């Protein structure tokens, strides 16, 4: 089982933001810089393209023994034997995902309030993605979560909490003392000209939070 993992620096991909030519190159540079988990999230990709991307990325994450999570697409996760699936409030229910992927895989759930958190706990999620903490161009429809609500969520569960939404070198320092387990980052890694360097700098800041 791959249940005990380091969520501290959690890359969420978005190939339309990349400056690199291939997604797998960006992922490799991020891992070399210190990323501990990779979530493949490609909302605009069709099934064939997503599968091809996932297979290429899986070769990289497998080589570096970095957990690979697939966003939404349980079929893709099963096809490539990914380490888990991350679902939102409008995706397949956790119980259904669990039946499909089995007990040994990770399931992450996006939550934005205490009520959604309590449901995720009841449904036996493995970790929570809490956000959006700040407004972000990568997911414009996401509800913004207050730090007060984050505190309530933290007090309600011992599950790992990964915050997401507008996380960068400046904003992540605002989370000191909130007991979060990780930072999910998109553009502050994937959109940088030197991904490895940008990730390394973020890693240093994460370690102080």
């Amino acid at each position: 089982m791959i249940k005990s993992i380091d969520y501290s620096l959690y890359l969420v991909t978005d190939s339309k933001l990349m400056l690199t030519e291939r997604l797998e190159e960006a992922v490799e540079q991020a891992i070399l810089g210190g990323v501990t988990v990779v979530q493949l999230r490609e909302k605009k990709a069709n099934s064939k393209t997503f599968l091809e991307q996932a297979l290429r990325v899986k070769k990289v994450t497998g080589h570096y023994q970095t957990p690979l999570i697939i966003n939404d697409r349980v079929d893709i996760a099963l096809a490539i034997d990914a380490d888990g699936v991350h679902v939102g409030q409008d995706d397949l229910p956790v119980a259904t995902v669990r039946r499909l992927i089995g007990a040994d895989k990770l399931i992450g759930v996006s939550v934005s309030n205490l009520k959604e958190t309590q449901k995720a706990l009841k449904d036996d999620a493995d970790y929570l993605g809490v956000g959006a903490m700040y407004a972000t161009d990568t997911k414009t429809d996401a509800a913004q979560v207050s730090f007060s609500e984050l505190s309530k969520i933290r007090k309600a569960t011992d599950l790992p909490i990964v915050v997401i939404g507008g996380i960068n070198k400046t904003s992540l320092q605002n989370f000191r003392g909130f007991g979060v387990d990780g930072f999910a980052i998109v553009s502050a890694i994937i959109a940088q000209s030197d991904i490895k360097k940008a990730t390394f700098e973020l890693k240093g800041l994460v370690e102080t939070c």
Side-chain angles (χ1 to χ4, degrees), residues 60-182:
V60 174
T61 58
H63 176 75
Y64 292 101
Q65 297 183 323
T66 302
L68 175 61
I69 309 296
I70 302 297
N71 180 262
D72 296 352
R73 297 292 300 271
V74 178
D75 56 339
I76 301 294
L78 287 169
I80 69 164
D81 192 27
D83 297 298
V85 178
H86 190 93
V87 294
Q89 293 297 311
D90 296 324
D91 299 321
L92 285 175
V94 173
T96 301
V97 176
R98 181 63 74 198
R99 285 198 301 271
L100 291 169
I101 69 173
D104 293 342
K105 302 293 187 179
L106 293 165
I107 301 179
V109 180
S110 294
V111 301
S112 60
N113 55 53
L114 190 57
K115 182 179 179 181
E116 292 173 355
T117 297
Q118 290 167 339
K119 185 176 188 309
L121 296 177
K122 183 180 178 181
D123 291 344
D124 199 27
D126 292 302
Y127 74 93
L128 304 175
V130 179
M133 297 306 306
Y134 296 95
T136 173
D137 291 336
T138 63
K139 198 167 184 181
T140 55
D141 61 340
Q144 196 161 330
V145 179
S146 69
F147 278 79
S148 174
E149 194 71 14
L150 174 62
S151 292
K152 292 176 184 177
I153 292 170
R154 177 71 289 172
K155 289 175 183 176
T157 179
D158 292 327
L159 282 184
I161 287 176
V162 180
V163 289
I164 189 169
I167 309 297
N168 54 41
K169 287 191 290 185
T170 300
S171 63
L172 71 79
Q173 298 179 73
N174 297 328
F175 292 90
R176 288 193 177 96
F178 280 89
V180 303
D181 300 277

Side-chain angles (χ1 to χ4, degrees), residues 23-37:
L23 181 58
E24 61 269 27
E25 291 178 358
V27 169
E28 181 170 34
Q29 289 303 304
I31 292 171
L32 290 172
V35 155
T36 57
V37 181

